[in-house]
Amino acid sequence: MLGLTPARAIDIHASRQATRVSITRPTISAMRTRLLQTFLIAGLLGLAVQAQSPASSVTWLDPHREPASRLLGEAMSSPFAWERLAELGDTFGHRLSGSQALEDAIDWAVEQMQKDGLENVRKEPVKVPHWVRGQESLEIVAPRRHTLVMLGLGNSVGTPPDGIEAELLVVRSFDELQAAGASVKGKMVLFNVPFTTYGETVRYRGAGPSRAAALGAVAALVRSVGPPGLRTPHTGALNYDPAAPQIPAAAVTTEDADRLQRMVDRGTTLRLRLEMEAQMLPDADSYNVVGEIRGRELPDEVVVLGGHFDSWDVGTGSTDDGGGCIVTWEALRLMKKLSLRPRRTVRVVLWTNEENGLRGGTAYRDRYRDQLANHVLMLESDSGVFRPTGFGFSGSDAGRAKIRDIATLLRGIQADRIGPSGGGADIGPAVEAGKLAAMSLEVDGNYFLIHHTPADTIDKIDPMDMARASGAIAVMAYVVAEMPDRLR
Ligand SMILES: [Zn+2]
């Protein structure tokens, strides 16, 4: 039937039960009881599947099978990770750099890590940019008035108090912009470039405003960098080129971008009015949060896990990247709960300011520069916490072979695929400086549909997927930290 393996069928069943909980909207306590029952069943079945999965022929893993099985069993036995993420988002909301919400959430994380029994829990200071959005709006003013859905781009300057009104020029590429030449002067330019991959399309958000300004544009709009949603705008950072004037810039929805394109293609001359109060304030104080389980034999050798704790100022940053923070933190909580203290230190870092500055990741590199040679591996989860499929890995061939072996312990939850490359924005600076092995959690989900939008909220995340992701990261980190030979 559908060619599903028993394990896959069990997972889907458990997932559907978990999903149904939120659809039928029972009372909170009934909801929690059903969620717990789901986890109890899934935990037991998961353990059974694990026990029955054909043991891989990798004999060096034998001493690690039992702890790995316990870590997975513990992760799958409760919705703890999802509930912690829900509490984070519900309590503090979004967490933009410079906001009180981010700093309050950081203090909460420290307190929770201490309660979990993690060691050396600390805040490491980082100066972060402090951009504030303020009020903002975009409308077509001629030939008829229509309000458009928009979000100013992070780090954008604002408009004068009475806004900027200009004729709209729509382009589909940088080539079309260049070809428009002198006609760009005085216009508001819309880059209407449909989403392909993030790397390909985000160039228009990052560099588009300055490219348009260099030709005399007075404001820039970008089609949201994501697939069509439900008229959902996506924010994200722009990078001003010091050589061009700074003009205000905002994202519009894919639906509105297509509409504007159609109208211009029909020969309609459109005038738009953009109002943005956005401004950059002086740098603010923030922190990376660090917690550890110190290694029992080689405490100076470190396996680092983490995600970024800041988010855009819309939604609650649950997928980007609250979930990544919680599932990596979970790896340590699970080890602590099971009294598993590996040979090497496992460290979780919740980096600050990934979104509009990457100051947390660069501060980490600078603070630990002397110790990077002792960093065995860095792993980041920042692609959402959907059903985990495995990990991306960048490193030596020998390292990849070991990681592949370890991944066989995750066959029972179908998270055993090792992709061709791994990494993350926050671990990037340290990985590059220390030439370190890098990994990322890989998941099967529509991350870019909700990333940087008001729709980035906890309800898009399945508790069972978070449990699987936590278990998978815990097993990977534990074995790398525990195995006799260092990962090379
Ligand atoms: Zn992110």
Side-chain angles (χ1 to χ4, degrees), residues 308 320-321 354-355 382 447:
H308 64 86
D320 186 14
D321 181 30
E354 188 269 348
E355 295 294 3
D382 187 19
Y447 179 67

Side-chain angles (χ1 to χ4, degrees), residues 98-260:
S99 68
Q100 191 58 45
L102 173 60
E103 297 313 306
D104 290 347
I106 285 172
D107 289 340
W108 169 86
V110 166
E111 208 174 287
Q112 298 297 312
M113 281 186 189
Q114 283 163 342
K115 273 192 197 152
D116 291 345
L118 303 195
E119 297 146 20
N120 299 327
V121 177
R122 56 195 186 260
K123 295 186 355 178
E124 297 178 342
V126 183
K127 284 278 184 201
V128 296
H130 187 186
W131 178 82
V132 291
R133 176 179 303 283
Q135 295 295 314
E136 54 183 20
S137 65
L138 176 68
E139 59 176 346
I140 304 174
V141 292
R144 280 168 175 278
R145 285 191 112 81
H146 297 280
T147 301
L148 298 172
V149 179
M150 59 82 78
L151 271 178
L153 296 184
N155 300 345
S156 176
V157 296
T159 61
D162 49 351
I164 289 177
E165 196 181 302
E167 186 184 327
L168 183 71
L169 173 73
V170 184
V171 297
R172 296 181 189 83
S173 65
F174 285 132
D175 287 345
E176 276 193 22
L177 176 75
Q178 287 312 125
S183 69
V184 175
K185 196 167 166 50
K187 302 273 171 53
M188 191 177 300
V189 171
L190 166 62
F191 292 94
N192 183 26
V193 184
F195 182 74
T196 48
T197 63
Y198 192 65
E200 186 60 32
T201 327
V202 77
R203 298 183 299 134
Y204 290 93
R205 188 189 79 207
S210 287
R211 296 278 291 263
L215 294 172
V218 292
L221 303 174
V222 293
R223 179 188 174 109
S224 283
V225 182
L230 292 171
R231 212 180 176 204
T232 321
H234 296 236
T235 188
L238 60 71
N239 304 305
Y240 284 129
D241 178 346
Q246 297 192 349
I247 59 170
V252 296
T253 66
T254 62
E255 292 90 337
D256 287 349
D258 285 338
R259 175 193 182 182
L260 293 168

Side-chain angles (χ1 to χ4, degrees), residues 7-21 34-35 38-39 41-43 45 76 387 462-464 468:
R8 171 98 176 134
I10 288 160
D11 287 347
I12 285 176
H13 177 66
S15 252
R16 287 208 179 126
Q17 281 208 343
T19 308
R20 199 181 308 140
V21 167
R34 287 178 60 182
L35 195 55
T38 302
F39 270 88
I41 295 163
L45 292 176
M76 306 275 284
R387 169 184 285 279
D462 184 326
M464 194 59 74
R468 288 189 195 95

Side-chain angles (χ1 to χ4, degrees), residues 442-455:
E442 292 196 346
V443 296
D444 180 13
N446 207 343
Y447 179 67
F448 289 109
L449 182 63
I450 52 182
H451 156 268
H452 299 184
T453 74

